[in-house]
Amino acid sequence: MAIQSPKGTKDMLPQDSATWQWIEQTMREEAALAGYQEIRTPVFEYTELFERGVGDTTDIVQKEMYTFLDKGERSITLKPEGTAGAVRAFVEGKLFAGALPVKVYYLNAPIFRYENPQSGRLREHHQFGMECFGAKEPTADTEVIASILHILHRLGLRDLGTHINSIGCPVCRPGYHQALKEYLHQHFDQLCPVCKDRFDKNPLRILDCKEEQCIRVTQNAPLTLDHLCEECDQHFKSLKELLTAQGIAFKVNPKIVRGLDYYTKTVFEITMQTSRGELALCGGGRYDGLIQEIGGPAMPGVGFGIGTERIIMELTNQGIPLPQVSVSDVFVAHLGEEALVPAFTLAQALRRGQIKADSDHGKRSLKAQFRFADKLGVKLMVIVGGDEMSRGVVKVKDMASGEETEVALDQAVPYIQAKLNENKEEARHG
RNA sequence: GUGGGUGUAGUUCAGUGGUUAGAGCGCCAGAUUGUGGCUCUGGAAGUCGUGGGUUCAACUCCCAUCACCCACCCCA
Protein backbone atom coordinates (compact mmCIF):
# COMPACT_ATOMS: atom_id res chain seq x y z
CA MET A 1 0.00 0.00 0.00
CA ALA A 2 1.28 3.43 -0.91
CA ILE A 3 2.24 5.76 1.92
CA GLN A 4 -0.47 8.32 2.65
CA SER A 5 -0.25 11.79 4.09
CA PRO A 6 -0.63 11.68 7.88
CA LYS A 7 -4.20 11.65 9.20
CA GLY A 8 -5.73 15.11 9.18
CA THR A 9 -3.20 16.64 6.79
CA LYS A 10 -3.78 17.75 3.25
CA ASP A 11 -1.43 18.48 0.38
CA MET A 12 -1.78 21.69 -1.53
CA LEU A 13 -1.66 20.35 -5.08
CA PRO A 14 -0.71 22.34 -8.20
CA GLN A 15 -4.32 22.74 -9.26
CA ASP A 16 -4.98 24.60 -5.99
CA SER A 17 -1.90 26.81 -5.98
CA ALA A 18 -3.48 29.66 -7.96
CA THR A 19 -6.27 29.87 -5.36
CA TRP A 20 -3.84 29.92 -2.44
CA GLN A 21 -1.64 32.52 -4.08
CA TRP A 22 -4.61 34.72 -4.88
CA ILE A 23 -5.80 34.58 -1.26
CA GLU A 24 -2.28 35.22 0.03
CA GLN A 25 -1.81 38.17 -2.28
CA THR A 26 -5.07 39.70 -1.08
CA MET A 27 -4.06 39.19 2.54
CA ARG A 28 -0.63 40.75 2.02
CA GLU A 29 -2.04 43.78 0.24
CA GLU A 30 -4.77 44.43 2.76
CA ALA A 31 -2.40 43.98 5.73
CA ALA A 32 0.12 46.35 4.13
CA LEU A 33 -2.58 48.98 3.58
CA ALA A 34 -3.21 49.02 7.31
CA GLY A 35 0.49 49.25 8.14
CA TYR A 36 1.08 45.61 9.14
CA GLN A 37 4.40 43.93 8.39
CA GLU A 38 5.05 40.25 7.99
CA ILE A 39 6.47 38.16 10.81
CA ARG A 40 7.45 34.49 10.68
CA THR A 41 8.05 32.50 13.79
CA PRO A 42 9.07 28.86 14.31
CA VAL A 43 6.65 26.04 13.67
CA PHE A 44 7.47 24.74 17.16
CA GLU A 45 7.97 26.48 20.48
CA TYR A 46 8.73 25.41 24.02
CA THR A 47 5.57 23.91 25.45
CA GLU A 48 5.61 26.35 28.34
CA LEU A 49 4.78 29.21 25.96
CA PHE A 50 1.36 27.76 25.25
CA GLU A 51 0.74 26.56 28.78
CA ARG A 52 1.27 30.11 30.00
CA GLY A 53 -0.15 31.93 27.02
CA VAL A 54 -3.12 29.90 25.86
CA GLY A 55 -3.84 28.65 29.37
CA ASP A 56 -3.36 25.21 30.85
CA THR A 57 -7.04 24.59 31.53
CA THR A 58 -8.08 25.05 27.89
CA ASP A 59 -8.97 22.10 25.68
CA ILE A 60 -6.22 23.10 23.29
CA VAL A 61 -3.50 22.72 25.89
CA GLN A 62 -5.06 19.80 27.74
CA LYS A 63 -5.70 17.46 24.85
CA GLU A 64 -5.01 18.92 21.45
CA MET A 65 -1.33 19.78 21.34
CA TYR A 66 1.40 17.98 19.44
CA THR A 67 3.90 17.84 22.27
CA PHE A 68 7.09 15.78 22.43
CA LEU A 69 10.51 15.74 24.05
CA ASP A 70 13.40 16.54 21.74
CA LYS A 71 16.80 14.83 22.02
CA GLY A 72 17.81 17.35 24.66
CA GLU A 73 14.78 16.45 26.81
CA ARG A 74 13.13 19.81 26.13
CA SER A 75 9.38 19.78 25.83
CA ILE A 76 8.47 21.03 22.36
CA THR A 77 5.02 21.79 20.96
CA LEU A 78 3.94 22.42 17.40
CA LYS A 79 2.08 25.74 17.28
CA PRO A 80 -1.59 25.19 18.14
CA GLU A 81 -2.42 28.85 17.39
CA GLY A 82 -0.62 31.85 16.01
CA THR A 83 -0.71 34.61 18.60
CA ALA A 84 1.54 33.21 21.35
CA GLY A 85 4.49 32.74 18.99
CA ALA A 86 4.09 36.23 17.55
CA VAL A 87 3.96 37.70 21.05
CA ARG A 88 7.04 35.72 22.09
CA ALA A 89 8.96 37.04 19.08
CA PHE A 90 7.75 40.57 19.79
CA VAL A 91 9.06 40.32 23.35
CA GLU A 92 12.30 38.49 22.48
CA GLY A 93 13.04 40.87 19.61
CA LYS A 94 12.46 43.79 22.02
CA LEU A 95 10.11 45.39 19.53
CA PHE A 96 8.27 46.93 22.47
CA ALA A 97 11.23 49.32 22.85
CA GLY A 98 10.60 50.88 19.43
CA ALA A 99 7.79 52.91 17.98
CA LEU A 100 4.38 51.70 19.11
CA PRO A 101 2.11 50.19 18.19
CA VAL A 102 3.88 47.33 16.46
CA LYS A 103 1.64 45.76 13.85
CA VAL A 104 2.45 42.37 12.36
CA TYR A 105 0.80 39.69 10.28
CA TYR A 106 1.62 36.05 9.68
CA LEU A 107 0.67 34.40 6.43
CA ASN A 108 -0.54 30.83 6.32
CA ALA A 109 1.42 29.68 9.30
CA PRO A 110 0.87 25.95 9.83
CA ILE A 111 -1.21 25.29 12.92
CA PHE A 112 -1.43 21.88 14.58
CA ARG A 113 -4.14 20.42 16.75
CA TYR A 114 -4.57 16.78 17.59
CA GLU A 115 -8.27 16.30 16.93
CA ASN A 116 -10.37 13.91 14.91
CA PRO A 117 -10.53 15.33 11.42
CA GLN A 118 -13.83 15.97 9.66
CA SER A 119 -15.31 18.49 7.31
CA GLY A 120 -13.55 21.82 7.84
CA ARG A 121 -11.26 20.44 10.50
CA LEU A 122 -7.74 19.21 10.03
CA ARG A 123 -4.82 18.32 12.28
CA GLU A 124 -2.64 20.69 10.32
CA HIS A 125 -4.24 23.78 8.88
CA HIS A 126 -3.00 27.23 7.91
CA GLN A 127 -3.81 30.56 9.46
CA PHE A 128 -3.40 34.13 8.48
CA GLY A 129 -3.37 36.46 11.44
CA MET A 130 -2.92 40.11 12.29
CA GLU A 131 -1.68 41.34 15.66
CA CYS A 132 -1.49 44.87 16.94
CA PHE A 133 0.77 45.28 19.99
CA GLY A 134 0.73 48.34 22.21
CA ALA A 135 -2.62 49.95 21.44
CA LYS A 136 -5.35 49.71 24.07
CA GLU A 137 -7.87 51.84 22.22
CA PRO A 138 -10.87 50.24 20.53
CA THR A 139 -9.81 51.75 17.20
CA ALA A 140 -7.18 48.98 17.15
CA ASP A 141 -9.89 46.34 17.64
CA THR A 142 -11.90 47.95 14.87
CA GLU A 143 -8.87 48.11 12.60
CA VAL A 144 -8.16 44.38 12.69
CA ILE A 145 -11.83 43.48 12.29
CA ALA A 146 -12.18 45.85 9.35
CA SER A 147 -9.05 44.46 7.71
CA ILE A 148 -10.18 40.87 7.75
CA LEU A 149 -13.64 41.82 6.54
CA HIS A 150 -12.09 43.73 3.65
CA ILE A 151 -10.02 40.71 2.75
CA LEU A 152 -13.03 38.42 2.79
CA HIS A 153 -15.06 40.92 0.82
CA ARG A 154 -12.36 41.28 -1.81
CA LEU A 155 -12.25 37.51 -2.17
CA GLY A 156 -15.94 37.70 -3.00
CA LEU A 157 -17.43 36.26 0.18
CA ARG A 158 -20.81 37.54 1.29
CA ASP A 159 -23.28 36.93 4.10
CA LEU A 160 -20.73 36.18 6.78
CA GLY A 161 -21.69 36.74 10.38
CA THR A 162 -19.62 39.08 12.55
CA HIS A 163 -20.17 38.42 16.22
CA ILE A 164 -18.65 40.41 19.04
CA ASN A 165 -18.64 40.26 22.79
CA SER A 166 -16.68 41.54 25.75
CA ILE A 167 -15.49 39.17 28.42
CA GLY A 168 -14.05 41.76 30.76
CA CYS A 169 -10.67 42.10 32.38
CA PRO A 170 -8.94 41.02 35.62
CA VAL A 171 -10.83 43.81 37.41
CA CYS A 172 -14.33 42.67 36.55
CA ARG A 173 -13.82 38.96 35.98
CA PRO A 174 -13.67 37.69 39.57
CA GLY A 175 -17.05 39.24 40.29
CA TYR A 176 -18.49 37.71 37.18
CA HIS A 177 -17.08 34.25 37.91
CA GLN A 178 -18.67 34.34 41.30
CA ALA A 179 -22.05 35.37 39.91
CA LEU A 180 -21.89 32.70 37.22
CA LYS A 181 -20.95 29.96 39.63
CA GLU A 182 -23.69 30.97 42.03
CA TYR A 183 -26.20 30.75 39.24
CA LEU A 184 -24.93 27.47 37.82
CA HIS A 185 -24.76 25.94 41.25
CA GLN A 186 -28.56 26.14 41.48
CA HIS A 187 -28.92 24.18 38.23
CA PHE A 188 -25.90 21.92 38.63
CA ASP A 189 -27.95 18.70 38.27
CA GLN A 190 -29.22 19.75 34.85
CA LEU A 191 -25.77 20.26 33.34
CA CYS A 192 -24.26 17.69 30.98
CA PRO A 193 -21.43 15.59 32.47
CA VAL A 194 -18.78 17.53 30.59
CA CYS A 195 -20.04 20.82 31.94
CA LYS A 196 -20.21 19.46 35.48
CA ASP A 197 -16.51 18.91 35.10
CA ARG A 198 -16.00 22.40 33.67
CA PHE A 199 -17.75 24.00 36.64
CA ASP A 200 -14.59 24.26 38.71
CA LYS A 201 -12.00 24.36 35.95
CA ASN A 202 -13.41 26.88 33.51
CA PRO A 203 -17.05 27.84 34.14
CA LEU A 204 -17.03 30.31 31.26
CA ARG A 205 -16.87 27.42 28.81
CA ILE A 206 -20.30 26.19 29.91
CA LEU A 207 -21.84 29.17 28.13
CA ASP A 208 -20.49 27.81 24.89
CA CYS A 209 -21.86 24.28 25.35
CA LYS A 210 -24.21 23.07 22.64
CA GLU A 211 -25.94 20.35 24.66
CA GLU A 212 -29.63 21.11 24.78
CA GLN A 213 -29.83 20.74 28.56
CA CYS A 214 -26.98 23.17 29.07
CA ILE A 215 -28.35 25.68 26.59
CA ARG A 216 -31.56 25.65 28.62
CA VAL A 217 -29.64 26.31 31.84
CA THR A 218 -27.40 29.00 30.38
CA GLN A 219 -30.22 30.88 28.70
CA ASN A 220 -30.74 32.87 31.86
CA ALA A 221 -27.19 32.75 33.13
CA PRO A 222 -25.54 36.01 34.05
CA LEU A 223 -23.59 37.52 31.18
CA THR A 224 -20.10 38.97 31.16
CA LEU A 225 -21.60 42.04 29.53
CA ASP A 226 -23.67 42.76 32.65
CA HIS A 227 -20.64 42.56 34.91
CA LEU A 228 -18.15 44.73 33.06
CA CYS A 229 -16.21 47.30 35.00
CA GLU A 230 -16.49 50.92 33.98
CA GLU A 231 -13.42 50.78 31.75
CA CYS A 232 -14.44 47.60 29.91
CA ASP A 233 -17.97 48.86 29.49
CA GLN A 234 -16.75 52.08 27.91
CA HIS A 235 -14.35 50.19 25.69
CA PHE A 236 -17.09 47.92 24.38
CA LYS A 237 -19.51 50.81 23.81
CA SER A 238 -16.86 52.65 21.91
CA LEU A 239 -16.05 49.56 19.81
CA LYS A 240 -19.69 49.20 18.78
CA GLU A 241 -19.85 52.86 17.78
CA LEU A 242 -16.65 52.57 15.78
CA LEU A 243 -17.82 49.49 13.93
CA THR A 244 -21.11 51.14 13.09
CA ALA A 245 -19.32 54.26 11.90
CA GLN A 246 -17.22 52.09 9.58
CA GLY A 247 -20.36 50.56 8.14
CA ILE A 248 -19.58 47.16 9.63
CA ALA A 249 -22.66 45.12 10.45
CA PHE A 250 -22.22 43.00 13.58
CA LYS A 251 -24.18 41.17 16.20
CA VAL A 252 -23.46 41.25 19.89
CA ASN A 253 -23.36 37.64 20.97
CA PRO A 254 -22.95 37.54 24.74
CA LYS A 255 -22.29 33.80 24.65
CA ILE A 256 -19.01 33.99 22.75
CA VAL A 257 -16.31 32.89 25.13
CA ARG A 258 -13.44 31.64 22.93
CA GLY A 259 -11.23 28.71 23.74
CA LEU A 260 -8.13 30.61 24.74
CA ASP A 261 -7.59 32.03 28.22
CA TYR A 262 -5.59 35.08 27.20
CA TYR A 263 -8.50 37.15 25.94
CA THR A 264 -9.67 40.27 27.75
CA LYS A 265 -12.38 42.73 26.79
CA THR A 266 -13.13 42.24 23.08
CA VAL A 267 -13.68 38.80 21.59
CA PHE A 268 -15.07 38.26 18.12
CA GLU A 269 -15.79 35.61 15.55
CA ILE A 270 -16.60 35.69 11.87
CA THR A 271 -18.78 32.74 10.98
CA MET A 272 -20.11 31.01 7.92
CA GLN A 273 -23.26 28.96 7.45
CA THR A 274 -22.76 25.27 6.84
CA SER A 275 -25.26 22.46 6.50
CA ARG A 276 -24.64 21.80 10.20
CA GLY A 277 -25.04 25.33 11.47
CA GLU A 278 -22.50 28.05 11.97
CA LEU A 279 -18.80 27.41 11.78
CA ALA A 280 -16.14 29.92 12.77
CA LEU A 281 -13.97 31.14 9.95
CA CYS A 282 -12.07 33.64 12.00
CA GLY A 283 -11.60 34.15 15.71
CA GLY A 284 -9.85 36.83 17.64
CA GLY A 285 -9.88 39.40 20.35
CA ARG A 286 -7.96 41.55 22.75
CA TYR A 287 -5.27 40.18 25.05
CA ASP A 288 -4.12 42.94 27.33
CA GLY A 289 -2.36 40.63 29.78
CA LEU A 290 -0.61 38.26 27.39
CA ILE A 291 2.53 40.23 26.58
CA GLN A 292 3.33 40.58 30.25
CA GLU A 293 2.48 36.93 30.91
CA ILE A 294 5.11 35.94 28.34
CA GLY A 295 7.76 38.07 29.99
CA GLY A 296 7.36 41.41 28.25
CA PRO A 297 6.21 44.74 29.59
CA ALA A 298 2.58 45.27 30.58
CA MET A 299 1.24 46.16 27.18
CA PRO A 300 -2.09 45.61 25.44
CA GLY A 301 -2.65 43.73 22.20
CA VAL A 302 -5.41 42.69 19.84
CA GLY A 303 -5.54 40.37 16.87
CA PHE A 304 -7.14 37.43 15.13
CA GLY A 305 -6.43 34.21 13.32
CA ILE A 306 -8.28 32.94 10.28
CA GLY A 307 -8.13 29.49 8.72
CA THR A 308 -7.31 29.53 5.04
CA GLU A 309 -8.74 26.08 4.39
CA ARG A 310 -12.06 27.32 5.77
CA ILE A 311 -11.92 30.39 3.55
CA ILE A 312 -11.53 28.10 0.55
CA MET A 313 -14.37 25.94 1.87
CA GLU A 314 -16.61 28.99 2.03
CA LEU A 315 -15.52 30.23 -1.41
CA THR A 316 -16.61 26.85 -2.72
CA ASN A 317 -19.87 26.91 -0.73
CA GLN A 318 -20.74 30.28 -2.20
CA GLY A 319 -19.82 29.12 -5.69
CA ILE A 320 -17.27 31.87 -6.16
CA PRO A 321 -15.14 31.29 -9.26
CA LEU A 322 -11.55 30.50 -8.33
CA PRO A 323 -8.69 31.87 -10.38
CA GLN A 324 -7.41 29.75 -13.24
CA VAL A 325 -3.92 30.45 -14.49
CA SER A 326 -2.65 29.07 -17.77
CA VAL A 327 0.39 26.93 -17.11
CA SER A 328 2.04 27.92 -20.38
CA ASP A 329 1.15 30.48 -23.04
CA VAL A 330 3.16 28.87 -25.80
CA PHE A 331 3.99 25.27 -26.63
CA VAL A 332 6.78 24.46 -29.04
CA ALA A 333 6.02 21.17 -30.76
CA HIS A 334 8.65 19.16 -32.55
CA LEU A 335 8.01 17.02 -35.56
CA GLY A 336 10.41 14.14 -35.77
CA GLU A 337 13.29 13.35 -33.50
CA GLU A 338 15.73 15.70 -35.22
CA ALA A 339 13.48 18.66 -34.32
CA LEU A 340 13.31 17.82 -30.61
CA VAL A 341 16.38 19.79 -29.54
CA PRO A 342 15.66 22.81 -31.80
CA ALA A 343 12.14 22.94 -30.33
CA PHE A 344 13.51 22.74 -26.79
CA THR A 345 16.04 25.47 -27.61
CA LEU A 346 13.32 27.75 -28.94
CA ALA A 347 11.24 27.16 -25.80
CA GLN A 348 14.27 28.19 -23.72
CA ALA A 349 14.68 31.34 -25.81
CA LEU A 350 11.00 32.21 -25.29
CA ARG A 351 11.44 31.80 -21.54
CA ARG A 352 14.38 34.22 -21.63
CA GLY A 353 12.00 36.54 -23.46
CA GLN A 354 9.61 36.41 -20.44
CA ILE A 355 7.14 34.10 -22.11
CA LYS A 356 5.67 31.08 -20.34
CA ALA A 357 6.71 28.41 -22.81
CA ASP A 358 6.97 24.65 -22.79
CA SER A 359 8.05 21.84 -25.08
CA ASP A 360 7.92 18.07 -25.16
CA HIS A 361 10.68 16.09 -23.49
CA GLY A 362 9.79 12.82 -25.13
CA LYS A 363 9.06 11.64 -28.61
CA ARG A 364 5.36 12.13 -28.69
CA SER A 365 3.48 12.48 -31.92
CA LEU A 366 2.52 15.93 -33.10
CA LYS A 367 -1.08 15.09 -32.36
CA ALA A 368 -0.25 14.07 -28.80
CA GLN A 369 1.71 17.29 -28.31
CA PHE A 370 -1.26 19.29 -29.53
CA ARG A 371 -3.60 17.49 -27.16
CA PHE A 372 -1.24 18.06 -24.27
CA ALA A 373 -0.78 21.74 -25.14
CA ASP A 374 -4.53 22.16 -25.38
CA LYS A 375 -4.88 20.86 -21.85
CA LEU A 376 -2.28 23.31 -20.63
CA GLY A 377 -4.44 26.02 -22.16
CA VAL A 378 -1.74 27.49 -24.39
CA LYS A 379 -2.62 30.41 -26.62
CA LEU A 380 -0.01 29.79 -29.31
CA MET A 381 1.50 26.63 -30.74
CA VAL A 382 4.84 26.68 -32.48
CA ILE A 383 5.66 23.86 -34.87
CA VAL A 384 9.27 23.00 -35.58
CA GLY A 385 9.43 20.46 -38.41
CA GLY A 386 11.96 19.17 -40.91
CA ASP A 387 10.41 21.10 -43.75
CA GLU A 388 10.43 24.38 -41.83
CA MET A 389 13.92 23.83 -40.41
CA SER A 390 15.38 23.45 -43.87
CA ARG A 391 13.89 26.83 -44.78
CA GLY A 392 14.87 28.49 -41.48
CA VAL A 393 11.26 29.13 -40.37
CA VAL A 394 8.74 27.89 -37.82
CA LYS A 395 4.96 27.85 -37.93
CA VAL A 396 3.00 29.72 -35.28
CA LYS A 397 -0.60 28.70 -34.82
CA ASP A 398 -3.19 30.70 -32.90
CA MET A 399 -5.08 28.05 -30.96
CA ALA A 400 -8.29 30.04 -30.70
CA SER A 401 -8.63 31.02 -34.39
CA GLY A 402 -6.69 28.14 -35.90
CA GLU A 403 -4.80 30.63 -38.03
CA GLU A 404 -1.21 29.67 -38.97
CA THR A 405 1.70 31.94 -39.85
CA GLU A 406 5.23 31.15 -40.96
CA VAL A 407 7.89 33.14 -39.13
CA ALA A 408 11.65 33.20 -39.56
CA LEU A 409 13.28 31.25 -36.72
CA ASP A 410 15.40 34.23 -35.60
CA GLN A 411 12.27 36.42 -35.49
CA ALA A 412 10.18 33.89 -33.57
CA VAL A 413 10.67 35.34 -30.07
CA PRO A 414 9.80 38.99 -30.91
CA TYR A 415 6.93 37.82 -33.12
CA ILE A 416 5.42 35.71 -30.37
CA GLN A 417 5.90 38.46 -27.78
CA ALA A 418 4.02 40.86 -30.04
CA LYS A 419 1.31 38.31 -30.79
CA LEU A 420 0.69 37.59 -27.10
CA ASN A 421 0.52 41.30 -26.27
CA GLU A 422 -1.98 41.76 -29.07
CA ASN A 423 -4.17 39.01 -27.63
CA LYS A 424 -3.91 40.60 -24.21
CA GLU A 425 -5.03 43.95 -25.63
CA GLU A 426 -7.99 42.32 -27.33
CA ALA A 427 -8.99 40.57 -24.14
CA ARG A 428 -8.85 43.89 -22.30
CA HIS A 429 -11.02 45.73 -24.80
CA GLY A 430 -13.24 42.85 -25.82
C1' G B 1 -12.41 9.29 23.45
C1' U B 2 -17.70 7.71 21.43
C1' G B 3 -21.07 6.65 17.29
C1' G B 4 -22.40 6.14 11.84
C1' G B 5 -20.82 5.32 6.72
C1' U B 6 -17.44 3.79 2.84
C1' G B 7 -13.15 0.79 0.82
C1' U B 8 -13.90 -2.71 -6.68
C1' A B 9 -9.33 0.05 -13.06
C1' G B 10 -5.56 6.30 -12.86
C1' U B 11 -10.43 8.46 -11.10
C1' U B 12 -15.87 8.53 -9.96
C1' C B 13 -18.77 4.57 -9.16
C1' A B 14 -22.11 -0.03 -10.66
C1' G B 15 -21.98 -5.11 -9.47
C1' U B 16 -27.29 -9.29 -3.23
C1' G B 17 -23.43 -16.58 -3.67
C1' G B 18 -22.59 -19.19 -9.80
C1' U B 19 -18.96 -18.41 -17.07
C1' U B 20 -13.61 -14.59 -18.36
C1' A B 21 -15.73 -8.47 -12.46
C1' G B 22 -18.31 -3.83 -15.69
C1' A B 23 -19.53 1.58 -17.07
C1' G B 24 -18.60 7.02 -17.38
C1' C B 25 -14.45 10.22 -17.26
C1' G B 26 -9.15 10.09 -18.00
C1' C B 27 -4.96 7.72 -20.65
C1' C B 28 -2.88 5.53 -25.44
C1' A B 29 -3.80 4.61 -30.64
C1' G B 30 -6.60 4.98 -35.22
C1' A B 31 -10.40 7.36 -38.49
C1' U B 32 -7.32 12.53 -40.25
C1' U B 33 0.32 9.02 -43.56
C1' G B 34 2.44 17.23 -40.53
C1' U B 35 -2.15 19.78 -36.35
C1' G B 36 -5.78 20.40 -30.53
C1' G B 37 -11.03 21.02 -28.96
C1' C B 38 -16.29 17.88 -31.29
C1' U B 39 -17.53 12.89 -33.09
C1' C B 40 -16.78 7.66 -34.04
C1' U B 41 -13.77 3.04 -33.48
C1' G B 42 -10.25 0.21 -30.95
C1' G B 43 -6.66 -0.65 -26.90
C1' A B 44 -4.00 -0.77 -22.22
C1' A B 45 -5.22 -0.82 -17.30
C1' G B 46 -7.91 -4.63 -11.33
C1' U B 47 -3.53 -8.53 -5.08
C1' C B 48 -12.21 -6.39 -5.52
C1' G B 49 -8.26 -2.40 1.51
C1' U B 50 -5.76 -6.51 4.48
C1' G B 51 -6.05 -11.22 7.29
C1' G B 52 -8.97 -15.21 8.59
C1' G B 53 -13.70 -18.07 8.41
C1' U B 54 -18.43 -20.33 6.17
C1' U B 55 -19.40 -22.75 1.28
C1' C B 56 -18.89 -27.31 -4.12
C1' A B 57 -18.35 -21.98 -5.23
C1' A B 58 -17.18 -15.37 -2.01
C1' C B 59 -16.42 -8.73 -4.87
C1' U B 60 -21.05 -10.66 -2.64
C1' C B 61 -22.21 -13.89 3.75
C1' C B 62 -19.55 -13.88 8.89
C1' C B 63 -15.40 -12.23 12.16
C1' A B 64 -11.16 -9.34 12.90
C1' U B 65 -8.07 -5.47 11.37
C1' C B 66 -6.44 -1.08 8.82
C1' A B 67 -7.50 3.32 6.14
C1' C B 68 -10.57 7.22 4.72
C1' C B 69 -15.13 10.16 5.18
C1' C B 70 -18.98 12.01 8.41
C1' A B 71 -20.99 13.26 13.29
C1' C B 72 -20.52 14.44 18.80
C1' C B 73 -16.94 17.54 21.94
C1' C B 74 -14.08 21.76 20.79
C1' C B 75 -12.36 24.90 17.32
C1' A B 76 -9.81 27.82 12.20
Side-chain angles (χ1 to χ4, degrees):
Chain A
M1 170 110 81
I3 295 171
Q4 298 172 306
S5 79
K7 189 182 175 87
T9 66
K10 238 180 147 179
D11 299 308
M12 188 215 69
L13 296 169
Q15 59 265 33
D16 303 322
S17 64
T19 298
W20 280 78
Q21 287 171 11
W22 165 59
I23 294 170
E24 287 170 0
Q25 185 60 27
T26 307
M27 288 167 165
R28 282 187 190 285
E29 285 172 12
E30 209 54 51
L33 284 175
Y36 286 70
Q37 292 180 289
E38 185 172 6
I39 188 169
R40 298 189 198 189
T41 65
V43 156
F44 57 87
E45 296 277 357
Y46 291 126
T47 304
E48 190 190 356
L49 174 67
F50 304 115
E51 287 171 347
R52 272 166 56 181
V54 176
D56 48 18
T57 65
T58 60
D59 279 356
I60 290 180
V61 170
Q62 282 191 335
K63 52 183 202 192
E64 293 176 0
M65 295 205 304
Y66 276 90
T67 297
F68 58 95
L69 286 181
D70 71 7
K71 291 181 198 295
E73 303 286 305
R74 290 171 282 252
S75 182
I76 298 291
T77 294
L78 304 182
K79 270 194 244 187
E81 57 91 52
T83 301
V87 169
R88 197 226 77 236
F90 167 79
V91 171
E92 193 169 340
K94 299 187 175 18
L95 301 183
F96 52 79
L100 293 174
V102 170
K103 308 204 282 190
V104 298
Y105 72 92
Y106 50 89
L107 187 65
N108 284 337
I111 300 291
F112 303 87
R113 287 185 208 161
Y114 193 86
E115 300 182 274
N116 269 337
Q118 56 188 273
S119 175
R121 176 193 290 164
L122 296 161
R123 286 184 174 179
E124 181 197 39
H125 73 280
H126 299 83
Q127 283 190 19
F128 166 75
M130 291 172 73
E131 312 287 351
C132 175
F133 304 128
K136 65 178 195 304
E137 296 78 7
T139 42
D141 309 46
T142 308
E143 178 176 282
V144 295
I145 293 173
S147 286
I148 188 54
L149 287 171
H150 283 133
I151 289 167
L152 297 172
H153 199 260
R154 272 181 63 180
L155 293 175
L157 294 174
R158 300 290 183 272
D159 304 324
L160 298 169
T162 303
H163 304 270
I164 64 168
N165 188 25
S166 178
I167 58 171
C169 68
V171 174
C172 37
R173 198 165 297 162
Y176 173 68
H177 264 191
Q178 202 184 336
L180 179 62
K181 280 183 141 181
E182 273 169 22
Y183 171 83
L184 290 173
H185 190 73
Q186 299 163 26
H187 304 87
F188 190 79
D189 297 343
Q190 297 159 49
L191 293 174
C192 75
V194 182
C195 283
K196 281 178 178 158
D197 193 48
R198 285 169 175 150
F199 183 81
D200 285 316
K201 290 191 209 157
N202 207 341
L204 235 85
R205 295 237 62 87
I206 299 175
L207 296 182
D208 211 25
C209 186
K210 280 159 193 148
E211 289 287 331
E212 208 177 309
Q213 47 191 343
C214 296
I215 291 174
R216 217 175 301 132
V217 171
T218 56
Q219 243 160 18
N220 299 313
L223 301 171
T224 53
L225 282 181
D226 297 327
H227 289 76
L228 295 181
C229 62
E230 181 57 26
E231 187 194 322
C232 287
D233 192 47
Q234 272 307 318
H235 194 277
F236 192 59
K237 261 189 198 134
S238 175
L239 171 66
K240 287 186 287 189
E241 285 166 14
L242 282 161
L243 288 171
T244 303
Q246 302 306 308
I248 295 170
F250 63 89
K251 273 189 189 143
V252 175
N253 181 345
K255 300 276 171 69
I256 294 181
V257 172
R258 308 284 312 141
L260 305 122
D261 281 353
Y262 52 62
Y263 287 120
T264 56
K265 294 191 171 74
T266 311
V267 290
F268 66 92
E269 286 182 359
I270 295 168
T271 61
M272 55 182 180
Q273 283 302 326
T274 70
S275 52
R276 294 278 168 180
E278 283 196 310
L279 191 66
L281 242 176
C282 173
R286 177 163 281 283
Y287 42 84
D288 289 346
L290 180 60
I291 294 170
Q292 187 169 32
E293 177 67 39
I294 295 207
M299 193 177 273
V302 62
F304 67 82
I306 182 159
T308 303
E309 283 86 351
R310 286 194 180 175
I311 293 178
I312 294 173
M313 190 179 174
E314 183 61 7
L315 287 166
T316 309
N317 284 347
Q318 294 195 14
I320 289 161
L322 300 174
Q324 304 290 327
V325 177
S326 69
V327 178
S328 293
D329 289 330
V330 178
F331 192 92
V332 187
H334 69 273
L335 191 61
E337 227 177 293
E338 67 283 357
L340 205 156
V341 171
F344 174 70
T345 304
L346 178 53
Q348 290 291 341
L350 288 165
R351 290 167 184 174
R352 297 287 68 76
Q354 301 301 305
I355 292 167
K356 291 197 285 182
D358 208 355
S359 67
D360 187 33
H361 291 292
K363 297 167 188 169
R364 281 193 282 194
S365 70
L366 186 61
K367 183 185 280 214
Q369 293 179 71
F370 260 88
R371 266 201 280 263
F372 180 72
D374 198 53
K375 266 168 202 144
L376 294 185
V378 307
K379 299 176 180 76
L380 298 176
M381 195 76 182
V382 180
I383 300 136
V384 181
D387 178 38
E388 288 84 355
M389 275 187 350
S390 64
R391 291 188 289 121
V393 299
V394 293
K395 270 187 185 155
V396 178
K397 178 171 180 173
D398 186 306
M399 289 296 266
S401 67
E403 186 186 319
E404 270 186 27
T405 316
E406 275 198 359
V407 182
L409 181 57
D410 56 7
Q411 287 303 305
V413 173
Y415 175 83
I416 289 166
Q417 284 173 331
K419 186 89 178 155
L420 286 174
N421 281 335
E422 194 180 296
N423 285 358
K424 225 179 272 171
E425 285 298 311
E426 275 171 29
R428 204 170 297 153
H429 300 302

